[in-house]
mmCIF file of all heavy atoms in Angstrom:
data_model
loop_
_atom_site.group_PDB
_atom_site.id
_atom_site.type_symbol
_atom_site.label_atom_id
_atom_site.label_comp_id
_atom_site.label_asym_id
_atom_site.label_seq_id
_atom_site.Cartn_x
_atom_site.Cartn_y
_atom_site.Cartn_z
ATOM 1 N N LEU A 1382 -5.695 32.575 -11.542
ATOM 2 C CA LEU A 1382 -6.079 31.175 -11.682
ATOM 3 C C LEU A 1382 -4.887 30.244 -11.533
ATOM 4 O O LEU A 1382 -5.054 29.059 -11.202
ATOM 5 C CB LEU A 1382 -6.749 30.950 -13.045
ATOM 6 C CG LEU A 1382 -8.099 31.644 -13.261
ATOM 7 C CD1 LEU A 1382 -8.594 31.409 -14.675
ATOM 8 C CD2 LEU A 1382 -9.123 31.154 -12.252
ATOM 9 N N LEU A 1405 -0.634 36.756 -22.127
ATOM 10 C CA LEU A 1405 -0.453 38.184 -22.422
ATOM 11 C C LEU A 1405 0.393 38.396 -23.669
ATOM 12 O O LEU A 1405 0.151 39.336 -24.435
ATOM 13 C CB LEU A 1405 0.223 38.871 -21.232
ATOM 14 C CG LEU A 1405 -0.616 39.115 -19.981
ATOM 15 C CD1 LEU A 1405 0.225 39.803 -18.919
ATOM 16 C CD2 LEU A 1405 -1.824 39.954 -20.315
ATOM 17 N N ALA A 1409 -0.576 40.848 -26.611
ATOM 18 C CA ALA A 1409 0.215 42.064 -26.815
ATOM 19 C C ALA A 1409 0.810 42.101 -28.214
ATOM 20 O O ALA A 1409 0.876 43.175 -28.847
ATOM 21 C CB ALA A 1409 1.329 42.136 -25.766
ATOM 22 N N ARG A 1421 0.722 53.255 -40.087
ATOM 23 C CA ARG A 1421 1.418 53.515 -41.349
ATOM 24 C C ARG A 1421 0.891 54.776 -42.035
ATOM 25 O O ARG A 1421 1.576 55.368 -42.873
ATOM 26 C CB ARG A 1421 1.272 52.320 -42.287
ATOM 27 C CG ARG A 1421 2.131 51.125 -41.895
ATOM 28 C CD ARG A 1421 2.073 50.056 -42.957
ATOM 29 N NE ARG A 1421 2.679 50.499 -44.216
ATOM 30 C CZ ARG A 1421 3.966 50.406 -44.502
ATOM 31 N NH1 ARG A 1421 4.811 49.889 -43.614
ATOM 32 N NH2 ARG A 1421 4.434 50.823 -45.664
ATOM 33 N N ARG A 1427 6.011 61.664 -40.925
ATOM 34 C CA ARG A 1427 7.368 61.395 -40.456
ATOM 35 C C ARG A 1427 8.398 61.691 -41.531
ATOM 36 O O ARG A 1427 9.537 62.062 -41.243
ATOM 37 C CB ARG A 1427 7.468 59.939 -39.994
ATOM 38 C CG ARG A 1427 6.681 59.685 -38.706
ATOM 39 C CD ARG A 1427 6.487 58.222 -38.474
ATOM 40 N NE ARG A 1427 5.824 57.985 -37.188
ATOM 41 C CZ ARG A 1427 5.222 56.866 -36.864
ATOM 42 N NH1 ARG A 1427 5.175 55.857 -37.724
ATOM 43 N NH2 ARG A 1427 4.659 56.722 -35.679
ATOM 44 N N SER A 1438 9.133 54.253 -35.849
ATOM 45 C CA SER A 1438 8.863 52.879 -35.443
ATOM 46 C C SER A 1438 9.411 52.599 -34.045
ATOM 47 O O SER A 1438 8.774 51.907 -33.237
ATOM 48 C CB SER A 1438 9.478 51.902 -36.438
ATOM 49 O OG SER A 1438 8.886 52.058 -37.717
ATOM 50 N N ALA A 1448 3.198 50.414 -22.458
ATOM 51 C CA ALA A 1448 1.822 50.042 -22.116
ATOM 52 C C ALA A 1448 1.764 48.597 -21.632
ATOM 53 O O ALA A 1448 1.100 48.283 -20.628
ATOM 54 C CB ALA A 1448 0.915 50.233 -23.331
ATOM 55 N N GLY A 1454 3.138 45.186 -14.771
ATOM 56 C CA GLY A 1454 3.436 45.651 -13.426
ATOM 57 C C GLY A 1454 2.221 45.619 -12.524
ATOM 58 O O GLY A 1454 2.319 45.284 -11.331
ATOM 59 N N THR A 1504 -2.620 40.503 -40.678
ATOM 60 C CA THR A 1504 -1.340 40.213 -40.035
ATOM 61 C C THR A 1504 -1.498 40.065 -38.523
ATOM 62 O O THR A 1504 -0.867 39.197 -37.905
ATOM 63 C CB THR A 1504 -0.332 41.333 -40.345
ATOM 64 O OG1 THR A 1504 -0.171 41.436 -41.764
ATOM 65 C CG2 THR A 1504 1.015 41.036 -39.704
ATOM 66 N N ARG A 1544 15.275 27.872 -10.138
ATOM 67 C CA ARG A 1544 16.716 28.036 -10.337
ATOM 68 C C ARG A 1544 16.987 29.392 -10.972
ATOM 69 O O ARG A 1544 16.491 29.699 -12.065
ATOM 70 C CB ARG A 1544 17.261 26.910 -11.217
ATOM 71 C CG ARG A 1544 17.085 25.523 -10.623
ATOM 72 C CD ARG A 1544 17.468 24.451 -11.604
ATOM 73 N NE ARG A 1544 18.851 24.604 -12.042
ATOM 74 C CZ ARG A 1544 19.367 24.000 -13.106
ATOM 75 N NH1 ARG A 1544 18.588 23.247 -13.869
ATOM 76 N NH2 ARG A 1544 20.622 24.161 -13.422
ATOM 77 N N VAL A 1547 18.435 29.499 -14.668
ATOM 78 C CA VAL A 1547 17.492 29.286 -15.765
ATOM 79 C C VAL A 1547 16.701 30.563 -16.046
ATOM 80 O O VAL A 1547 16.476 30.937 -17.205
ATOM 81 C CB VAL A 1547 16.553 28.121 -15.432
ATOM 82 C CG1 VAL A 1547 15.435 28.003 -16.455
ATOM 83 C CG2 VAL A 1547 17.334 26.817 -15.362
ATOM 84 N N LEU A 1574 26.503 49.759 -42.391
ATOM 85 C CA LEU A 1574 27.271 48.538 -42.200
ATOM 86 C C LEU A 1574 27.692 48.336 -40.754
ATOM 87 O O LEU A 1574 27.792 47.198 -40.281
ATOM 88 C CB LEU A 1574 28.509 48.562 -43.104
ATOM 89 C CG LEU A 1574 28.242 48.450 -44.620
ATOM 90 C CD1 LEU A 1574 29.541 48.523 -45.389
ATOM 91 C CD2 LEU A 1574 27.518 47.147 -44.937
ATOM 92 N N LEU A 1594 20.324 27.090 -21.739
ATOM 93 C CA LEU A 1594 19.022 26.488 -21.442
ATOM 94 C C LEU A 1594 18.990 25.013 -21.835
ATOM 95 O O LEU A 1594 18.400 24.180 -21.143
ATOM 96 C CB LEU A 1594 17.911 27.246 -22.167
ATOM 97 C CG LEU A 1594 17.577 28.638 -21.621
ATOM 98 C CD1 LEU A 1594 16.577 29.340 -22.526
ATOM 99 C CD2 LEU A 1594 17.021 28.547 -20.207
ATOM 100 N N ALA A 1596 21.507 23.031 -21.756
ATOM 101 C CA ALA A 1596 22.296 22.307 -20.763
ATOM 102 C C ALA A 1596 21.506 22.063 -19.481
ATOM 103 O O ALA A 1596 21.836 21.146 -18.713
ATOM 104 C CB ALA A 1596 23.567 23.092 -20.441
ATOM 105 N N PRO A 1622 7.453 26.519 6.016
ATOM 106 C CA PRO A 1622 7.005 27.846 6.501
ATOM 107 C C PRO A 1622 5.751 28.362 5.810
ATOM 108 O O PRO A 1622 4.990 29.112 6.418
ATOM 109 C CB PRO A 1622 8.214 28.736 6.203
ATOM 110 C CG PRO A 1622 9.383 27.812 6.228
ATOM 111 C CD PRO A 1622 8.885 26.513 5.677
ATOM 112 N N ARG A 1641 -3.533 7.962 22.174
ATOM 113 C CA ARG A 1641 -4.022 6.585 22.109
ATOM 114 C C ARG A 1641 -2.911 5.598 21.744
ATOM 115 O O ARG A 1641 -2.989 4.417 22.093
ATOM 116 C CB ARG A 1641 -5.163 6.507 21.085
ATOM 117 C CG ARG A 1641 -6.429 7.164 21.593
ATOM 118 C CD ARG A 1641 -7.412 7.472 20.496
ATOM 119 N NE ARG A 1641 -8.594 8.150 21.056
ATOM 120 C CZ ARG A 1641 -9.478 8.825 20.336
ATOM 121 N NH1 ARG A 1641 -9.318 8.938 19.026
ATOM 122 N NH2 ARG A 1641 -10.496 9.409 20.932
ATOM 123 N N ALA A 1661 6.950 8.541 3.505
ATOM 124 C CA ALA A 1661 6.207 8.869 4.714
ATOM 125 C C ALA A 1661 6.106 7.617 5.576
ATOM 126 O O ALA A 1661 6.311 6.501 5.112
ATOM 127 C CB ALA A 1661 4.822 9.397 4.363
ATOM 128 N N ARG A 1701 -7.921 -11.171 5.691
ATOM 129 C CA ARG A 1701 -9.246 -11.733 5.512
ATOM 130 C C ARG A 1701 -10.312 -10.678 5.813
ATOM 131 O O ARG A 1701 -10.045 -9.660 6.428
ATOM 132 C CB ARG A 1701 -9.420 -12.946 6.417
ATOM 133 C CG ARG A 1701 -8.476 -14.095 6.075
ATOM 134 C CD ARG A 1701 -8.731 -15.283 6.956
ATOM 135 N NE ARG A 1701 -7.864 -16.408 6.609
ATOM 136 C CZ ARG A 1701 -7.878 -17.588 7.221
ATOM 137 N NH1 ARG A 1701 -8.728 -17.789 8.240
ATOM 138 N NH2 ARG A 1701 -7.056 -18.551 6.841
ATOM 139 N N ARG A 1703 -12.896 -10.724 7.867
ATOM 140 C CA ARG A 1703 -13.167 -10.496 9.278
ATOM 141 C C ARG A 1703 -12.060 -9.652 9.913
ATOM 142 O O ARG A 1703 -12.336 -8.742 10.702
ATOM 143 C CB ARG A 1703 -13.303 -11.828 10.004
ATOM 144 C CG ARG A 1703 -13.671 -11.730 11.485
ATOM 145 C CD ARG A 1703 -15.035 -11.089 11.676
ATOM 146 N NE ARG A 1703 -16.099 -11.886 11.142
ATOM 147 C CZ ARG A 1703 -16.728 -12.852 11.816
ATOM 148 N NH1 ARG A 1703 -16.367 -13.139 13.062
ATOM 149 N NH2 ARG A 1703 -17.717 -13.518 11.280
#
Side-chain angles (χ1 to χ4, degrees):
L1382 294 176
L1405 286 180
R1421 286 187 66 86
R1427 290 165 176 162
S1438 297
T1504 301
R1544 299 172 58 196
V1547 172
L1574 291 179
L1594 288 173
R1641 288 163 182 163
R1701 296 182 178 180
R1703 183 63 65 87

